[in-house]
């Protein structure tokens, strides 16, 4: 059995600054040993540990989709020791990736259902993975209507702008991009907070699932809206963030009641969360 | 042959011969207290000890362990690639471990050795180590093994068991590994009937010394969130200084941190014991800390040991009653008291 | 000792009833011999649990830092000195405090007591007239209390609280002609190599749990230097360099503030005598500045004051 703590060596192919405040960068990684890509089979919603020798590892959601072959993408927020270092790395630099880790969005349950994706801030990464995955021609027909509510404080903080624009053009996905405020006269999307936009635009809760990821404050105010719209807790799905180290359910750090968030999560339904201590 | 009798006279010889075949570890008196250490001489082992200050978990899960190594040297084509570090997995024998401590490893196995993920260092060490236990003729007052499903002569975690019957030891094989060990011992003889009788007596008198402290099953039946929200945590937590002693000394506390350390252009990725009692344990990079309050951390330790573990694995609590935390918590937070609070019939919400 | 317990309960009841304080910090009886538990009495019902004997060695000042309510606290000589340090370092305000001064007879060293019993497990212990009677299954011994004091208590020269609102008993006679530093002088006399070896041995079994730090009332920094990650000053393993760094820095950080209360040694799970570091600091501060920590409520520790006209020769 492979050593589950040993990262696969990867090379940075490119680094793209996503946001105006330069706090979010997307790195594209290539496996040094092509056979490692085979071993790294992932499903949207999972995460990985990015490893920088000499500094340590950080858990980051996988932003690329398994339908995109040959590379992995991660969008990293500049926070502390490791994430800041990654921001300063250059194409060609060597680092490591360990994973895939954790569970994923319940794609088998979602089959045949309408899906509304609600995201805010940098948590949009695994949601990007999920959208690309669902829109893939081999997958699109497996799902019903797909709507996306995605919010940022102002336009400069939106991630994946080109892709957002491309999705806007399609008729098999309903995009509702919103910002808290803007003074850009050319802004053609919504202005308003995510909960309010959700209330207006979310599909009928009948036969629908909601996936919601973002800052705690956004989640706190959006959940009542979803409940009001008739989404039962078992059809509201979220992804938790916890401080993590091993990522494989051994080091004990991310323990929440009977669960290890890194292994049994990070994806939980609201119904599952209601049975766990509220300590996240 | 399932058991042999070894006189105390011959015992050092037996240990000496075992030392030729394995790396042998045993309780050794070091300055102020006993600690498990690799024996350098066969007479170093002291089986008159009560228990070691630190649990023997370090033999399988050391305080600081190098997991990987790497180079950061300029021009090194392998620079930045994290690699396995060499380790000694030659056969080990641990002599004289208390049955409770050995049982603790069984409880830890469910964490380190699962069907999907196996901790390579833990599992290799477990596979290459045989454990010979030493029955407790005279349990400590702070121990409560019988309350948590083990006991002073419990063979469950052992490959073989030693019973000190005065002039000699009875050595019983429990597993295949233990039997192999016995087969290799030529200095033993058949167990005299008197010794067998003495052993039975000792076991009875040891077990009789325990009073049941609390009932883990009653805890299993409690509602998790009701316990979590109970009001008594406020009183339990006041005196705690978050020193981590209870978790560092405990044989069943396995939590660890992973850190990289670099010296010049060479580095190691190491794992180090960590503790849910430390505020840093859960702090996010953003500064948000889901367990920023002492109450939350104290509650986590007890809930994890006595409730979460039990609900997750349905196999008792994550405590073997060794009593170390009871004895060495500097402010006398006593897990037996806390367990009693947790099992009390009415758990009133805060 | 029963007298102290009664006085503490009486005072606590009075202070809570008259709404002069919100809580009372004291001890309650421990669950194992030679141990008591720091306890927060919030109401009259709790008051009955307040307790006192020779096993109250934990420094209660540790529970005061940054409290915002009105607190009555039982304070031995050393606790009271650490309260003064807290006041000087703005960890609590005098108006918030009602100090129940406990003239102290010295606290019992639990480790030494247990070691002397040679593996026998005590079930009961009772203090009376300077003697301790310890009993267990098939044994009973009576020991001279004085012989089993914590080491810092046997050389203590401030047994009476230096600051208080009421005293729980008549002041005790202070110990006279105490030589506080024979061990420090011994280390001072060593060659640098011997000294290095001495301290290496002293801390060789440290498991970096930081119980010593956490038991100390002086260690109230929001983020301790050992926990800082950017920059990371100290490694986290038990590499001797890191363990050394921790102990040296800790000692320097409490220089001129340490009251030699012994809480650190009492808390250490592996019995490390880290007062060997802090006592040297204490001796130097006394010799260089004539200062004793936590004795005068209006005199700041020498290492946290600055005067441009400082005469000290090392400021150049
Ligand atoms: C499942 C999951 C998915 C995630 N996905 C993403 C994602 O897609 N994109 C993203 O940007 N982020 C993501 N995160 C968050 C990301 O993991 C953290 O932001 C990251 O770990 C921060 O690491 P760092 O080394 O940069 O910061 P650190 O330096 O570890 O932490 C910053 C601060 O935390 C404190 N701290 C942390 N460790 C220590 C220590 N050892 N000692 C003292 N203080 C310490 C300090 O105050 C420090 O300044 C995810 C997290 C999880 C759990
Ligand atoms: S919790 Fe305490 S008594 Fe139980 S195994 Fe751990 S140290 Fe021993
Ligand atoms: S040993 Fe006691 S004081 Fe220290 S963390 Fe554990 S419960 Fe708290
Ligand atoms: S360093 Fe030790 S003796 Fe000095 S004040 Fe702190 S706990 Fe007391
Ligand atoms: S309490 Fe003892 S073992 Fe823990 S860090 Fe301090 S000296 Fe080391
Ligand atoms: S991060 Fe180690 S158990 Fe979850």
């Amino acid at each position: 059995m492979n050593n589950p703590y040993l990262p696969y060596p990867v090379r940075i192919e490119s680094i793209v600054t996503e946001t105006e405040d330069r706090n979010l960068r997307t790195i594209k990684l290539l496996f040094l040993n092509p056979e490692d890509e085979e071993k790294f089979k992932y499903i949207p919603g999972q995460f990985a540990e990015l490893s920088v020798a000499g500094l340590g590892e950080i858990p980051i959601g996988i932003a690329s989709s398994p339908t995109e072959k040959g590379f992995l993408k991660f969008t990293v927020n500049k926070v502390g020791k490791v994430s800041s270092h990654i921001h300063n790395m250059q194409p060609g630099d060597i680092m490591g990736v360990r994973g895939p880790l954790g569970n994923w969005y319940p794609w088998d349950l979602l089959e045949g259902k309408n899906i509304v994706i609600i995201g805010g801030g940098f948590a949009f990464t695994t949601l990007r993975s999920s959208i690309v995955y669902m829109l893939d021609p081999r997958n699109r027909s497996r799902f019903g209507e797909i709507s996306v509510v995605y919010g940022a404080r102002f336009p400069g903080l939106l991630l994946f702008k080109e892709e957002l624009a491309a999705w806007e053009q399609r008729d098999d996905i309903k995009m509702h991009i919103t910002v808290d405020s803007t003074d850009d006269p050319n802004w053609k999307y919504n202005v308003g907070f995510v909960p309010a936009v959700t209330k207006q635009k979310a599909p009928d809760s009948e036969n629908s699932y909601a996936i919601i990821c973002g800052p705690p404050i956004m989640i706190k105010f959006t959940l009542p809206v979803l409940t009001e719209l008739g989404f039962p807790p078992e059809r509201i799905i979220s992804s938790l963030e916890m401080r993590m180290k091993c990522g494989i359910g051994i080091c004990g750090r991310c323990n929440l009641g009977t669960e290890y968030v890194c292994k049994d999560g990070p994806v939980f339904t609201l119904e599952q969360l209601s049975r766990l201590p509220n300590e996240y | 042959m399932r058991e042999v009798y070894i006189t105390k006279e011959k015992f050092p010889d037996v240990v000496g011969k075992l030392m030729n075949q394995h790396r042998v570890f045993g309780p050794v008196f070091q300055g102020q207290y006993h600690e498990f250490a690799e024996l350098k001489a066969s007479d170093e082992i002291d089986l008159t000890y009560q228990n070691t200050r630190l649990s023997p978990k370090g033999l399988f899960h050391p305080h600081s362990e190098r997991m990987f190594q790497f180079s950061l040297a300029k021009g090194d084509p392998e620079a930045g690639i994290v690699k396995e570090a060499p380790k000694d997995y030659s056969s080990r024998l641990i002599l004289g471990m208390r049955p409770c401590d050995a049982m603790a490893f069984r409880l830890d196995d469910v964490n380190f050795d699962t069907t999907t993920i196996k901790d390579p260092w833990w599992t290799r060490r477990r596979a290459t180590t045989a454990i010979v236990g030493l029955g407790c003729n005279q349990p400590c007052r702070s121990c409560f093994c019988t309350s948590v499903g083990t006991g002073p002569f419990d063979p469950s975690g052992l490959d073989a068991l030693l019973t000190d019957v005065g002039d000699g030891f009875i050595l019983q094989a429990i597993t295949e590994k233990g039997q192999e060990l016995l087969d290799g011992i030529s200095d033993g003889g058949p167990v005299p009937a008197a010794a067998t009788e003495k052993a039975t007596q000792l076991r009875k008198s040891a077990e009789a010394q325990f009073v049941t402290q609390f009932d883990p099953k009653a805890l299993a039946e409690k509602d998790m969130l009701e316990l979590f929200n109970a009001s008594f945590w406020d009183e339990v937590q006041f005196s705690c200084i978050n020193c981590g002693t209870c978790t560092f000394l405990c044989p069943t506390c396995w939590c660890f941190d992973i850190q990289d350390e670099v010296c010049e252009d060479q580095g190691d990725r190491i794992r180090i014991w960590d503790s849910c009692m430390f505020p840093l344990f859960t702090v996010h990079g953003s500064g948000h800390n889901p367990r920023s309050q002492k109450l939350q951390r104290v509650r986590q330790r007890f809930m994890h040991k006595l409730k979460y573990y039990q609900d997750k694995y349905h196999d008792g609590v994550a405590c073997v009653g060794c009593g170390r935390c009871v004895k060495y918590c500097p402010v006398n937070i006593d897990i037996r008291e806390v367990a009693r609070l947790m099992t009390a019939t009415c758990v009133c919400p805060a | 000792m029963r007298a102290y317990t009664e006085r503490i309960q009486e005072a606590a009841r009075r202070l809570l009833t008259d709404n002069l304080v919100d809580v009372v910090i004291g001890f309650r009886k421990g669950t194992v011999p030679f141990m008591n538990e720091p306890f927060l009495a919030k109401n009259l019902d709790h008051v009955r649990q307040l307790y006192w004997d020779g096993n109250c060695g934990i420094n209660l000042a540790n529970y005061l830092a940054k409290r915002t309510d009105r607190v009555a606290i039982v304070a031995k000589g050393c606790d009271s000195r650490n309260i003064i340090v807290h006041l000087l370092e703005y960890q609590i305000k005098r108006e918030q405090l009602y100090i129940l001064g406990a003239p102290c007879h010295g606290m019992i060293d639990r480790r030494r007591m247990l070691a002397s019993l040679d593996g026998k497990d005590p079930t009961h212990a009772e203090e009376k007239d300077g003697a301790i009677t310890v009993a267990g299954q098939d044994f009973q011994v009576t020991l001279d209390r004085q012989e089993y004091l914590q080491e810092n208590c046997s050389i203590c020269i401030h047994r009476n609280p230096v600051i208080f609102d009421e005293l729980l008993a008549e002041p005790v006679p202070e110990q006279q002609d105490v030589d506080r530093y024979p061990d420090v002088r011994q280390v001072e006399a060593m060659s640098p190599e011997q000294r290095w070896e001495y301290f290496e041995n002293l801390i060789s079994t440290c498991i970096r749990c930081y119980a010593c730090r956490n038991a100390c009332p002086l260690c109230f920094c929001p983020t301790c230097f050992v926990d800082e990650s950017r920059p990371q000053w100290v490694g986290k393993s038990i590499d001797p360099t890191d363990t050394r760094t921790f102990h040296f820095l800790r000692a320097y950080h409490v220089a001129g503030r340490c009251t030699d209360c012994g809480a650190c040694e009492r808390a250490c799970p592996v019995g490390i005598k880290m007062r060997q570091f802090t006592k040297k600091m204490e001796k130097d501060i006394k010799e260089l500045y004539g200062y004793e920590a936590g004795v005068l409520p209006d005199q700041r520790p020498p290492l946290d004051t600055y005067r441009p006209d400082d005469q000290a020769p090392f400021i150049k």
Side-chain angles (χ1 to χ4, degrees):
Chain A
M1 188 172 267
N2 283 339
N3 187 327
Y5 298 97
L6 187 66
Y8 301 119
V10 290
R11 178 186 299 113
I12 301 180
E13 163 85 354
S14 65
I15 304 186
V16 177
T17 304
E18 293 281 353
T19 52
E20 252 172 44
D21 64 2
R22 310 180 66 78
N23 276 338
L24 284 157
R25 294 192 174 172
T26 298
I27 55 170
K28 188 171 170 185
L29 302 174
L30 305 186
F31 287 96
L32 281 193
N33 309 312
E35 64 275 16
D36 290 344
E37 189 181 349
E38 274 306 298
K39 295 186 211 147
F40 196 100
K41 276 211 169 19
Y42 65 100
I43 304 174
Q46 288 191 286
F47 70 99
E49 289 279 352
L50 297 187
S51 153
V52 180
L55 289 170
E57 296 185 315
I58 53 173
I60 300 289
I62 306 173
S64 50
S65 154
T67 51
E68 302 171 300
K69 298 285 179 210
F71 62 87
L72 293 175
K73 269 187 184 176
F74 296 91
T75 301
V76 179
N77 189 18
K78 185 169 156 180
V79 178
K81 197 160 123 185
V82 181
S83 56
S84 307
H85 182 85
I86 290 176
H87 268 233
N88 292 330
M89 288 175 85
Q90 301 299 324
D93 284 352
I94 301 297
M95 52 184 283
V97 167
R98 189 157 66 80
L101 304 171
N103 67 354
W104 45 85
Y105 298 120
W107 297 109
D108 45 347
L109 287 178
L110 296 174
E111 209 144 305
K113 302 291 192 302
N114 301 325
I115 296 162
V116 54
I117 285 184
I118 303 163
F122 68 81
F124 197 61
T125 54
T126 58
L127 299 180
R128 184 239 169 228
S129 170
S130 307
I131 294 170
V132 172
Y133 173 78
M134 289 188 290
L135 292 182
D136 187 86
R138 277 161 299 176
N139 290 332
R140 182 62 191 90
S141 59
R142 289 165 54 201
F143 305 102
E145 192 178 290
I146 301 174
S147 333
V148 176
V149 179
Y150 173 35
R153 270 186 293 132
F154 55 90
L157 290 187
L158 288 166
L159 290 172
F160 318 122
K161 287 185 203 60
E162 284 170 24
E163 281 177 309
L164 292 180
W167 294 335
E168 272 285 344
Q169 302 305 316
R170 298 174 66 131
D171 52 12
D172 57 354
I173 179 168
K174 291 189 181 144
M175 295 297 294
H176 308 289
I177 299 168
T178 182
V179 292
D180 296 356
S181 67
T182 179
D183 45 21
D184 176 1
N186 298 322
W187 177 250
K188 34 185 200 296
Y189 311 119
N190 303 286
V191 176
F193 295 111
V194 167
V197 177
T198 305
K199 192 165 182 170
Q200 285 168 25
K201 313 278 180 168
D204 187 11
S205 58
E206 187 73 33
N207 202 33
S208 298
Y209 272 81
I211 303 180
I212 175 164
C213 291
I217 183 90
M218 180 202 97
I219 296 190
K220 187 176 164 199
F221 287 104
T222 310
L223 287 180
V225 172
L226 288 172
T227 307
E228 205 179 301
L229 290 168
F231 283 87
E234 54 284 6
R235 283 197 271 123
I236 302 176
I237 299 161
S238 193
S239 184
L240 285 192
E241 195 182 319
M242 285 287 235
R243 190 173 167 82
M244 292 180 183
K245 279 287 172 176
C246 73
I248 51 177
I250 295 185
C251 80
R253 186 167 309 264
C254 66
N255 174 239
L256 186 66
T258 48
E259 310 296 300
Y260 286 126
V261 174
C262 67
K263 189 180 171 200
D264 307 312
V267 176
F268 294 97
T269 66
L270 211 56
E271 194 272 330
Q272 290 168 322
L273 288 180
S274 72
R275 283 184 278 121
L276 292 174
N278 182 9
E279 242 175 15
Y280 39 84
Chain B
M1 179 178 75
R2 297 305 293 180
E3 55 178 32
V4 288
Y5 183 77
I6 305 168
T7 61
K8 289 210 170 151
E9 240 163 42
K10 281 201 182 147
F11 192 73
D13 275 358
V14 173
V15 176
K17 283 181 192 155
L18 289 169
M19 285 170 65
N20 295 331
Q21 302 155 39
H22 315 270
R23 291 183 289 150
V24 178
F25 294 74
V28 172
F29 190 72
Q30 293 182 332
Q32 303 173 47
Y33 45 83
H34 288 86
E35 229 40 285
F36 274 94
E38 182 164 1
L39 302 182
K40 288 181 210 76
S42 60
D43 58 357
E44 264 184 348
I45 187 166
D46 178 8
L47 294 182
T48 63
Y49 84 128
Q50 269 189 325
N51 211 347
T52 50
R53 180 73 56 91
L54 291 171
S55 86
K57 75 176 164 191
L59 294 170
F60 297 92
H61 177 23
H63 178 291
S64 307
E65 163 156 52
R66 179 206 279 163
M67 310 166 76
F68 301 116
Q69 54 193 20
F70 49 82
S71 155
L72 297 173
K74 283 225 166 60
D76 183 343
E78 306 269 83
I81 299 182
V82 172
K83 294 181 180 158
E84 302 251 12
K87 285 187 200 292
D88 184 357
Y89 289 115
S90 58
S91 157
R92 297 192 305 177
L93 180 65
I94 306 177
L95 277 182
M97 192 186 288
R98 292 298 181 189
C100 58
D101 284 343
M103 187 60 192
F105 299 136
R106 293 259 316 258
L107 300 180
D108 295 354
D109 280 340
V110 300
N111 185 61
F112 286 100
D113 188 357
T114 73
T115 46
T116 49
I117 291 169
K118 295 189 188 301
D119 185 276
W121 305 294
W122 175 276
T123 49
R124 284 276 307 265
R125 289 200 181 104
R126 288 285 277 155
T128 54
T129 307
I131 304 178
V132 178
L134 174 66
C136 277
N137 294 351
Q138 193 52 256
C140 310
R141 294 270 311 165
S142 40
C143 301
F144 52 100
C145 52
T146 53
S147 301
V148 286
T150 165
F153 289 83
D154 182 4
S156 318
L158 300 170
D159 295 301
L161 172 68
L162 282 167
T163 305
D164 182 343
V165 289
D167 298 332
F169 295 101
I170 299 176
L171 177 62
Q172 283 171 297
I174 290 152
T175 62
E176 277 304 304
K177 244 193 226 172
Q179 182 63 41
E180 268 169 42
L181 197 78
L182 252 71
D183 293 345
I185 292 175
S186 52
D187 301 275
V191 181
T196 307
E197 199 171 305
K198 180 85 192 283
T200 315
Q201 254 173 32
L202 283 169
R203 177 179 313 221
K204 273 195 191 138
S205 88
E207 276 162 9
Q209 287 181 37
F210 289 98
V211 246
T212 303
Q213 297 283 347
F214 61 91
D215 177 13
K217 284 201 199 73
L219 280 170
E221 282 153 21
K222 290 263 150 154
D223 180 68
M224 178 166 83
L225 292 183
E226 200 177 297
L227 279 177
F228 182 85
N229 291 318
S231 59
F232 58 73
W233 296 115
D234 187 46
E235 196 175 314
V236 171
Q237 59 103 28
F238 171 74
S239 62
C240 175
I241 57 172
N242 276 151
C243 69
T245 295
C246 48
T247 50
F248 275 29
L249 264 47
C250 175
T252 70
C253 276
W254 60 65
C255 288
F256 59 86
D257 190 10
I258 301 177
Q259 294 271 328
D260 284 13
E261 292 201 338
V262 178
C263 185
E264 293 177 352
D265 58 9
Q266 299 300 311
D268 295 325
R269 180 157 293 168
I270 55 173
R271 69 169 169 199
I272 318 134
W273 291 351
D274 205 343
S275 169
C276 59
M277 286 302 195
F278 300 156
L280 279 185
F281 191 65
T282 45
V283 71
H284 288 197
S286 65
H288 168 65
N289 190 351
R291 290 202 285 269
S292 59
Q293 303 300 310
K294 181 166 77 176
L295 183 148
Q296 297 168 313
R297 299 191 287 271
V298 171
R299 175 173 60 192
Q300 168 67 18
R301 167 162 173 261
F302 291 112
M303 285 292 278
H304 182 246
K305 288 208 150 345
L306 302 174
K307 182 64 181 163
Y308 302 156
Y309 181 95
Q310 180 151 227
D311 284 6
K312 189 173 178 73
Y313 302 108
H314 307 287
D315 188 22
V317 292
C319 167
V320 293
C322 74
R324 287 186 179 85
C325 59
V326 176
K327 248 187 169 154
Y328 297 106
C329 168
V331 299
N332 190 217
I333 292 181
D334 187 329
I335 189 170
R336 301 169 299 181
E337 289 295 326
V338 178
R340 277 196 283 268
L341 285 172
M342 289 171 75
T343 41
T345 40
C346 165
V347 184
C348 312
Chain C
M1 291 301 117
R2 214 164 284 154
Y4 276 63
T5 300
E6 277 163 22
R7 278 297 308 274
I8 292 169
Q9 294 191 0
E10 179 276 315
R13 207 171 288 121
R14 168 164 40 87
L15 293 166
L16 286 168
T17 311
D18 297 348
N19 191 23
L20 290 173
V21 299
D22 303 308
V23 293
V24 182
I25 298 180
F27 284 88
R28 67 175 164 192
K29 192 162 173 40
T31 60
V32 292
F34 308 116
M35 268 296 212
N36 289 323
E37 184 189 0
F39 179 62
L40 183 74
K42 290 181 170 175
N43 54 45
L44 296 179
D45 220 27
H46 286 155
V47 167
R48 269 175 293 152
Q49 297 186 53
L50 286 166
Y51 181 78
W52 191 263
D53 65 14
N55 303 301
C56 297
I58 286 290
N59 190 330
L60 291 182
N62 196 23
Y63 296 93
L64 280 182
K66 301 187 177 74
R67 282 197 82 95
T68 52
D69 48 358
R70 296 170 305 159
V71 188
I73 181 168
V74 183
K76 310 180 285 289
C78 52
D79 304 278
S80 77
R81 290 173 66 193
N82 277 98
I83 291 175
I84 289 190
V85 179
H86 270 344
L87 293 170
L88 286 171
E89 295 181 343
Y90 311 113
Q91 291 307 304
I92 192 122
K93 294 199 198 75
R94 184 65 182 94
E95 325 64 282
Q96 277 173 271
L97 290 179
Y98 192 95
I99 303 167
L100 298 167
C104 179
H105 299 267
M107 290 292 144
I108 298 166
D109 184 338
R110 167 171 184 259
R111 305 281 166 80
R112 213 140 36 86
M113 182 63 89
L114 293 177
S116 78
L117 298 176
D118 205 23
K120 290 193 291 285
D121 234 346
T123 50
H124 297 288
E126 201 162 309
E127 291 175 52
K128 212 174 163 191
D129 307 329
I132 308 170
T133 307
V134 188
Q137 208 183 11
D138 335 309
F139 79 95
Q140 175 163 345
V141 282
T142 301
L143 303 164
D144 181 0
R145 190 178 189 281
Q146 201 61 27
E147 294 290 304
Y148 290 92
L149 291 189
Q150 279 185 195
E151 207 251 345
N152 64 304
C153 297
S154 62
I155 55 163
C156 175
I157 49 173
H158 293 284
R159 291 185 153 182
N160 292 299
V162 291
I163 183 174
F164 54 83
D165 294 289
E166 66 185 80
L167 277 184
L168 297 168
E170 286 302 308
V172 294
E174 292 293 356
Q175 306 193 101
Q176 301 298 324
D177 304 320
V178 177
D179 178 6
R180 287 187 56 78
Y181 308 111
D183 46 351
V184 180
R185 282 196 304 272
Q186 234 169 45
V187 179
E188 284 171 345
M190 292 177 185
S191 70
E193 295 75 30
Q194 287 172 318
R195 222 179 291 154
W196 185 261
E197 197 188 318
Y198 174 78
F199 285 117
E200 285 295 275
N201 285 337
L202 190 79
I203 57 174
S204 64
T205 52
C206 173
I207 53 173
R208 298 283 297 277
C209 65
Y210 306 135
C212 48
R213 173 195 70 183
N214 288 21
C216 177
L218 302 171
C219 287
F220 50 70
C221 295
T223 308
C224 178
F225 71 96
V226 292
D227 292 335
E228 203 75 70
S229 70
R230 293 208 303 163
Q232 189 170 346
W233 306 103
V234 202
K236 306 228 172 202
S237 67
I238 38 172
D239 185 283
T241 322
D242 296 319
T243 305
R244 226 180 273 142
T245 311
F246 163 61
H247 281 282
F248 293 175
L249 258 92
R250 193 187 83 86
Y252 274 100
H253 203 179
V254 302
R257 307 163 64 220
C258 169
T259 61
D260 201 35
C261 70
C264 46
E265 282 190 0
R266 199 182 161 92
C268 177
V270 294
I272 288 172
K273 300 208 171 304
M274 68 294 276
R275 280 174 52 253
Q276 290 297 298
F277 295 114
T278 48
K279 276 180 78 187
K280 163 70 175 158
M281 296 290 133
E282 181 192 303
K283 176 168 174 283
D284 284 359
I285 295 277
K286 208 170 194 168
E287 286 170 3
L288 288 168
Y289 304 97
Y291 185 85
E292 262 187 303
V295 174
L296 298 172
D298 51 2
Q299 210 176 60
R300 300 197 65 78
L303 298 187
D304 89 350
T305 49
Y306 170 73
R307 285 201 322 266
D309 61 338
D310 202 321
Q311 291 303 306
F314 57 81
I315 302 192
K316 282 255 161 66

